[in-house]
Amino acid sequence: MSASQLYDNHGRPLNYLRLAVTDRCNLRCFYCMPEEGIKYLPKKQLLTFEEIERLITLLAEMGISKVRLTGGEPFVRTDLMSLIRRIVSIEGINDVHLTTNGILTGPYIPELKSLGIASVNLSLDTLDRERFKTITRRDEFEKTWTTLQQLLRVQIPVKINAVVMDGKNIDDILPLVELTRQHPVSVRFIEEMPFNGEGNHYASLPWTYKKILELIRSHYPMLERLPDPPHSTSTNYKIPGHAGDIGIIAAFSRTFCGTCNRIRITAQGVLKTCLYDEGVLNIKNLMREGRSDDEIKAELLKSFSNRPKDGFEAEERRSGTPAIESMSTIGG
Ligand code: SAM
Ligand code: SF4
């Protein structure tokens, strides 16, 4: 149980932290990072494991009970497992989740299972090796696929994240849906957002959640809507008789802000109270200035009490730069 309940200024409970442990990655997914010229943060700009542990402990005392580790690719951070071991034992943290591209994840799956990791989100935008190579700019499909099989074998709940990209992987939507026939996996189609480090390349988003849904429904007219779990960002569906289910995430259209329960901490230790804001509090600096736990909590509370009502308001509040930074620094 959380020590207390935390609410924002719009009365939304906050209980979910997504923390990027690094901005580095072993893939170059074109919707997330430019192919070249990426300037990674110097290592001393990343939160240390001690700082992450302290921060999560403070947030757990304030009411955060669920943590997702993301990145960049979390498994490129040296000794990630020692951080996970620390986090699962923090009082008040009930669920620890991971988002990974699966390339380096395989050897750690038995320990993730024994540590009780609640679920893994695996990024997989295509089932075709050549398209995987085009999208991620690396020829690593087999490793991600093997990781998926291993996760299913040990029964760690797994969600596949597939970003829907015009002209790139539309032919993969139905094969990905087909995965749910045999496998107890949740396949989530995500609207492409402008966070690729370069800006939006569409005048208007061609594949909105509505269009993705229409395509799936036209092939599976029996598609059933599932009830929304609390604070879900996806609308969820099931094809009768299939082992798994399907979700569609309106990440660009931003239909889910009204129930948003999440905060983010970027790889450089900056708090974001909305995916679309530009970072509202540098917590790493506070810790390195020697601020006390109570002082840091007070600063966090101030930010939680000034949360934009939705992603559009967060974008308006940005002081200059548009929302185009690489998702590898935000964590998704
Ligand atoms: N490297 C890990 C991975 O790929 O799963 C974790 C970090 S990645 C930034 C987290 C999630 O953000 C992935 O599922 C990825 O597909 C998603 N993502 C990245 N850029 C995106 C974009 N421009 N629009 C929508 N989703 C994006
Ligand atoms: Fe790396 Fe994940 Fe971004 Fe792809 S989506 S480049 S795997 S951080």
Side-chain angles (χ1 to χ4, degrees):
M1 250 202 28
S2 294
S4 55
Q5 288 278 327
L6 188 61
Y7 292 92
D8 72 7
N9 45 317
H10 301 283
R12 293 172 295 197
L14 296 175
N15 57 13
Y16 178 14
L17 165 68
R18 297 161 75 102
L19 186 138
V21 295
T22 180
D23 60 335
R24 291 166 196 249
C25 192
N26 46 2
L27 296 184
R28 289 287 179 278
C29 305
F30 88 95
Y31 50 76
C32 178
M33 278 190 181
E35 183 162 20
E36 282 170 9
I38 300 154
K39 287 204 183 68
Y40 284 138
L41 294 166
K43 289 210 169 120
K44 60 178 185 309
Q45 293 287 335
L46 297 177
L47 292 174
T48 64
F49 286 177
E50 287 68 31
E51 287 168 336
I52 293 174
E53 189 179 8
R54 178 180 175 204
L55 182 51
I56 297 180
T57 305
L58 293 181
L59 285 165
E61 286 165 7
M62 296 172 79
I64 296 291
S65 57
K66 170 177 173 181
V67 174
R68 173 175 304 281
L69 298 183
T70 172
E73 172 48 39
F75 284 94
V76 303
R77 177 101 189 229
T78 310
D79 207 12
L80 179 76
M81 291 308 295
S82 76
L83 176 66
I84 297 178
R85 280 179 222 123
R86 292 181 191 205
I87 296 173
V88 294
S89 57
I90 293 175
E91 201 180 324
I93 298 300
N94 303 330
D95 295 317
V96 179
H97 304 251
L98 283 169
T99 304
T100 174
N101 61 31
I103 309 291
L104 300 171
T105 318
Y108 304 106
I109 291 175
E111 189 178 0
L112 293 174
K113 176 75 180 173
S114 67
L115 288 172
I117 290 302
S119 78
V120 171
N121 285 7
L122 188 67
S123 293
L124 183 61
D125 308 305
T126 174
L127 299 179
D128 179 89
R129 180 179 161 185
E130 281 307 312
R131 275 202 290 274
F132 185 96
K133 203 166 134 188
T134 307
I135 292 167
T136 66
R137 301 170 176 131
R138 299 288 185 272
D139 190 8
E140 299 279 21
F141 172 76
E142 290 299 330
K143 291 192 186 121
T144 305
W145 181 250
T146 305
T147 291
L148 172 62
Q149 303 302 323
Q150 286 174 282
L151 288 167
L152 289 169
R153 203 170 309 127
V154 301
Q155 297 180 357
I156 293 181
V158 48
K159 293 179 179 170
I160 290 177
N161 284 351
V163 179
V164 177
M165 297 157 276
D166 193 42
K168 289 276 195 307
N169 67 343
I170 303 310
D171 289 348
D172 289 289
I173 294 178
L174 298 176
L176 283 164
V177 169
E178 268 304 305
L179 269 187
T180 69
R181 186 183 291 276
Q182 303 288 351
H183 301 295
V185 61
S186 206
V187 176
R188 292 126 47 88
F189 296 100
I190 309 176
E191 283 181 350
E192 187 180 349
M193 292 180 273
F195 296 113
N196 57 12
E198 294 174 326
N200 207 336
H201 43 277
Y202 304 122
S204 67
L205 189 71
W207 283 87
T208 60
Y209 68 101
K210 285 189 187 148
K211 191 162 164 192
I212 300 166
L213 180 59
E214 271 166 29
L215 174 73
I216 299 173
R217 209 191 276 290
S218 68
H219 285 77
Y220 300 94
M222 68 299 265
L223 196 66
E224 279 174 10
R225 176 80 197 264
L226 295 173
D228 291 333
H231 314 293
S232 177
T233 52
S234 54
T235 45
N236 301 295
Y237 302 87
K238 193 170 175 63
I239 298 164
H242 282 208
D245 55 47
I246 296 155
I248 303 180
I249 304 184
F252 183 79
S253 307
R254 290 164 252 185
T255 53
F256 43 67
C257 301
T259 58
C260 178
N261 64 339
R262 52 191 66 192
I263 57 171
R264 293 176 166 81
I265 295 176
T266 67
Q268 57 268 56
V270 171
L271 173 72
K272 284 167 77 78
T273 57
C274 172
L275 179 58
Y276 284 84
D277 72 34
E278 61 187 344
V280 294
L281 181 67
N282 191 323
I283 313 173
K284 181 185 67 208
N285 285 354
L286 294 180
M287 289 197 282
R288 292 188 185 175
E289 282 162 12
R291 303 287 197 97
S292 70
D293 289 355
D294 284 345
E295 284 170 329
I296 293 172
K297 282 184 183 175
E299 291 293 334
L300 287 166
L301 276 179
K302 251 193 253 168
S303 298
F304 301 153
S305 316
N306 186 29
R307 212 170 163 231
K309 73 173 185 313
D310 56 30
F312 298 101
E313 187 180 322
E315 222 177 339
E316 276 163 22
R317 285 193 199 177
R318 293 173 76 106
S319 55
T321 48
I324 61 160
E325 59 269 34
S326 166
M327 192 67 101
S328 61
T329 64
I330 307 173

